[in-house]
Amino acid sequence: MRAIAGLTLREMLRRRATLTLAIAVLAFIALSGWAFHALVHSYGPAGEARLYASEQLVFVMLVFSGMLALTASFLSASAISPELESGVAISLLARPLTRSGYVLGKWLGLAALVACFSLLSGALELLVAFWSAGFVPPDPLAALAALGAQALVLMTLGLWLSTRLSSITAAILSVALFFLAWMAGVGGALGVALHNSTLQVAGAVSQLAVPTNGLWQAAEYYLEPPSVVAILHLKGIVGADPFVAASPEPTAFYIWCALWVAGVAGAAVWSLRRRDF
Amino acid sequence: MPGTIGAARRAEPAILTEQLSKEYGGKAALSDLTMTVPRGQVFGFLGPNGAGKTTAVKLLLGLARPTAGEGLVLGEPLGDVAVRRRVGYLPELFRYQDWLTAEEVLLAHGALAARPSAARRGEAQAVLEVVGLAGRARDRVGTFSKGMQQRLGLAVALLGAPELVVLDEPTSALDPTGRHDVREIIHDLKSRGVTVFLNSHLLGEVEQVCDHVAILRAGRVVAQGSLDVLLSSTGVRIEADGVTSGTLQGLERFGEIFLRGTELQVDGIRRQDIPALVAELVARGAQVYAVESRRPSLEEHFLGLMGGR
Ligand SMILES: Nc1ncnc2c1ncn2[C@@H]1O[C@H](COP(=O)(O)OP(=O)(O)O)[C@@H](O)[C@H]1O
Ligand SMILES: [Mg+2]
């Protein structure tokens, strides 16, 4: 399993796709730094600019989390099926390596990469926001952890899909599910605003089916200044605005996320176990 | 008493299968394969393309699950993971990560096979030497020709002192030198007591290296046994005067008889029955000038078996 994790990590690091995605993320960070800088200079008093910057930061981080999710999906979606097709897997699995060892080795290698990449680039983005606009989110570490967890969730989904589908199909499907989950989150918030219970239930169910948006909401909560959250509570519009998180996610949600990752990784193992070569 | 267990291990067959069958989508790829491969034997598994050879090997290695039947490999049930430490395998269709060097492929396989880490580099070098790739150890697999990849596959199969080596069409991409090398390698394995299971549709190759063969046709074994016994059904050509159809009365029990002038041909006669046939002919008044027995090649035998297709 360790050998597979090592091989996976090495392979991912030398892929052109990894490099491209990393460059894209870095370019995005640089661009956002420039935007923050421009923002601070066009607004007068420092306090006002900072509040505005915090809202902009949430939006920037939303796009940023989307890029991380895309990266995680693309990397993991091509982790298994190409090896099944090319015949790399057949020679590995003829060794004293169980199918679960193979899948979990892949998962570990990818998880190491995705977690490091999310945390490092996320930290860089927050630093850029600090340098250019002087904004410090209330809990940057928790926000980074939530972003990393979101990437891990998507990575696990992509890995499962790649046991059955070609790289392209698996990547498109997991990115599509990511966007659907996000839209379901928006739909659920609309449901709250419009007092439409069907929309609320649909939103809540799809939030659990693919918990990426819930993790984004968690990250959002830790990025917003407490004043924004306080205003929401004062107005009594908790949960009605998809672009503001009024409360932290309950612990049960994080437990669900862990179970979800374990379950989907288990599904990947099961899918490969059933396969004949 | 490890000594006793070791002896018992050596005594049990390397491969044992019992009515092993595999269907793919309701279509039989292998039916009722029952065979025993003793330790130390070079076993040839023959058959035309699509006969089910590769399927059988994948079942043995746990890469596919049988639809019915069971088997033991080195004493462990099919699908056992730990036993694969003692098995080397060259798949028919395979690739290695083309961004790794030949040596790195072998190091990765050494790690997967749980070889002691201090020994891995030396073992990798040794098997590269055996397959003639020692000079290319540091080259990327992606730069290798198909034949070189097959040599590397052979090196992977030989890695870690396996007790059983399974080779699926090992020479399909090799030039004549390569084929010769493979024969040498198999002879060497045999001299070290390693069991070799050789899948092939190349009869000449099998005839040169194998002790036992099983011949597969459309998923079923149609002949099985030691090469000597399998090919012991021979033909004999006898030149004799004074042979009439009367003389031949009752001699059909020896085989199928053809008489053309002074030339008598008996097909399918067992080698050991030839003297008795000649004695009988002489007793019946024939004058025998020449007796020429001929052993058919494996190819003729094979074509005979496939003939009724
Ligand atoms: N994975 C598979 N899916 C469906 N059919 C298969 C598969 N593998 C083999 N077959 C079928 O099983 C039969 C035997 O194939 P195979 O074992 O590869 O033959 P051989 O190795 O003797 O050439 C063929 O008819 C082949 O089409
Ligand atoms: Mg084959």
Side-chain angles (χ1 to χ4, degrees):
Chain A
M1 195 161 89
R2 279 222 335 261
I4 297 294
L7 279 175
T8 305
L9 194 55
R10 277 179 66 190
E11 174 172 14
M12 293 301 159
L13 283 176
R14 60 174 305 289
R15 279 212 183 145
R16 193 160 296 161
T18 316
L19 189 69
T20 313
L21 289 164
I23 289 176
V25 168
L26 289 179
F28 178 79
I29 293 174
L31 205 67
S32 71
W34 175 78
F36 281 130
H37 188 74
L39 203 70
V40 170
H41 280 263
S42 53
Y43 278 83
E48 200 179 317
R50 193 167 305 155
L51 187 68
Y52 201 70
S54 81
E55 276 173 35
Q56 291 306 301
L57 180 70
V58 168
F59 177 71
V60 162
M61 288 308 267
L62 173 64
V63 178
F64 182 74
S65 84
M67 292 184 78
L68 284 185
L70 221 77
T71 308
S73 295
F74 269 91
L75 292 183
S76 63
S78 57
I80 292 186
S81 60
E83 291 202 342
L84 298 180
E85 279 156 33
S86 69
V88 166
I90 197 173
S91 73
L92 296 175
L93 289 167
R95 290 293 170 194
L97 169 71
T98 56
R99 308 260 169 122
S100 50
Y102 176 72
V103 173
L104 296 181
K106 291 267 170 204
W107 191 90
L108 277 179
L110 281 166
L113 180 66
V114 165
C116 287
F117 185 66
S118 306
L119 295 183
L120 289 180
S121 60
L124 189 62
E125 174 69 72
L126 291 183
L127 277 177
V128 163
F130 172 68
W131 284 329
S132 52
F135 176 69
V136 183
D139 196 343
L141 287 183
L144 286 180
L147 281 182
Q150 186 195 38
L152 282 184
V153 160
L154 241 97
M155 181 278 276
T156 310
L157 178 65
L159 191 69
W160 174 43
L161 295 177
S162 89
T163 61
R164 289 282 151 168
L165 306 173
S166 74
S167 311
I168 299 285
T169 318
I172 290 176
L173 193 56
S174 65
V175 170
L177 285 171
F178 168 74
F179 277 114
L180 280 179
W182 183 72
M183 271 154 52
V186 175
L190 276 179
V192 173
L194 304 173
H195 304 289
N196 180 328
S197 59
T198 318
L199 259 183
Q200 281 182 47
V201 170
V205 167
S206 42
Q207 294 286 44
L208 292 179
V210 182
T212 45
N213 190 53
L215 287 167
W216 160 247
Q217 299 279 330
E220 197 175 21
Y221 178 79
Y222 298 119
L223 290 171
E224 293 158 349
S227 54
V228 171
V229 178
I231 290 168
L232 281 179
H233 280 278
L234 272 178
K235 286 187 180 167
I237 47 169
V238 173
D241 185 340
F243 297 102
V244 195
S247 52
E249 297 291 331
T251 314
F253 175 72
Y254 294 109
I255 295 176
W256 166 250
C257 287
L259 289 176
W260 191 94
V261 166
V264 173
V269 169
W270 187 74
S271 162
L272 203 70
R273 275 220 185 112
R274 282 169 43 84
R275 189 191 155 93
D276 280 334
F277 284 87
Chain B
M1 285 191 290
T4 325
I5 291 174
R9 257 195 179 164
R10 280 191 294 279
E12 86 203 350
I15 299 173
L16 188 72
T17 68
E18 186 77 38
Q19 310 224 292
L20 204 55
S21 307
K22 178 69 187 176
E23 286 180 3
Y24 283 109
K27 206 172 137 279
L30 185 70
S31 305
D32 298 327
L33 175 66
T34 299
M35 66 172 179
T36 307
V37 179
R39 294 250 176 178
Q41 200 167 69
V42 179
F43 191 91
F45 204 52
L46 280 168
N49 295 325
K53 306 181 295 292
T54 298
T55 302
V57 160
K58 286 178 177 173
L59 295 179
L60 291 176
L61 285 152
L63 292 165
R65 280 162 314 158
T67 319
E70 51 195 355
L72 295 176
V73 172
L74 300 175
E76 305 295 338
L78 297 186
D80 184 86
V81 173
V83 76
R84 295 189 211 145
R85 199 170 292 185
R86 302 188 274 139
V87 180
Y89 173 44
L90 169 68
E92 180 180 25
L93 298 172
F94 67 95
R95 277 254 304 273
Y96 295 117
Q97 295 87 337
D98 46 20
W99 47 277
L100 290 178
T101 67
E103 188 182 37
E104 286 170 334
V105 166
L106 289 160
L107 291 177
H109 274 264
L112 288 172
R115 303 297 297 165
S117 53
R120 285 179 209 153
R121 202 166 286 273
E123 287 181 352
Q125 200 53 45
V127 288
L128 282 172
E129 205 94 49
V130 170
V131 302
L133 284 180
R136 308 292 301 260
R138 298 287 158 86
D139 291 351
R140 283 182 195 281
V141 177
T143 67
F144 282 14
S145 71
K146 189 77 196 75
M148 287 165 67
Q149 297 213 13
Q150 200 156 32
R151 282 173 185 267
L152 178 58
L154 205 56
V156 169
L158 298 175
L159 193 70
E163 293 167 41
L164 167 66
V165 172
V166 178
L167 306 174
D168 196 349
E169 310 277 5
T171 59
S172 59
L174 294 183
D175 55 20
T177 321
R179 292 177 184 218
H180 173 80
D181 292 352
V182 169
R183 279 201 297 277
E184 295 289 302
I185 289 168
I186 293 175
H187 281 306
D188 183 54
L189 288 170
K190 183 179 159 66
S191 71
R192 287 190 281 129
V194 177
T195 313
V196 179
F197 190 90
L198 174 65
N199 259 15
S200 184
H201 64 269
L202 299 172
L203 303 153
E205 173 176 304
V206 170
E207 199 169 4
Q208 286 179 55
V209 296
C210 293
D211 314 318
H212 269 64
V213 298
I215 299 181
L216 208 61
R217 179 184 157 192
R220 288 187 180 277
V221 172
V222 289
Q224 174 161 215
S226 89
L227 210 53
D228 292 338
V229 171
L230 217 70
L231 300 182
S232 70
S233 133
T234 60
V236 63
R237 208 177 57 78
I238 298 171
E239 202 188 326
D241 269 346
V243 180
T244 64
S245 43
T247 323
L248 298 175
Q249 284 280 310
L251 295 184
E252 298 84 11
R253 66 191 148 95
F254 286 106
E256 205 175 340
I257 299 176
F258 303 93
L259 180 62
R260 264 174 262 118
T262 60
E263 189 184 306
L264 182 67
Q265 186 170 334
V266 183
D267 278 352
I269 185 174
R270 287 182 306 167
R271 188 178 161 79
Q272 61 265 38
D273 290 340
I274 293 175
L277 171 67
V278 174
E280 193 108 357
L281 283 172
V282 171
R284 292 179 183 199
Q287 289 114 45
V288 175
Y289 298 105
V291 177
E292 187 194 344
S293 88
R294 40 183 289 281
R295 170 179 154 143
S297 70
L298 183 55
E299 179 163 335
E300 284 171 287
H301 187 76
F302 182 84
L303 291 175
L305 284 168
M306 298 302 146
R309 150 197 314 254

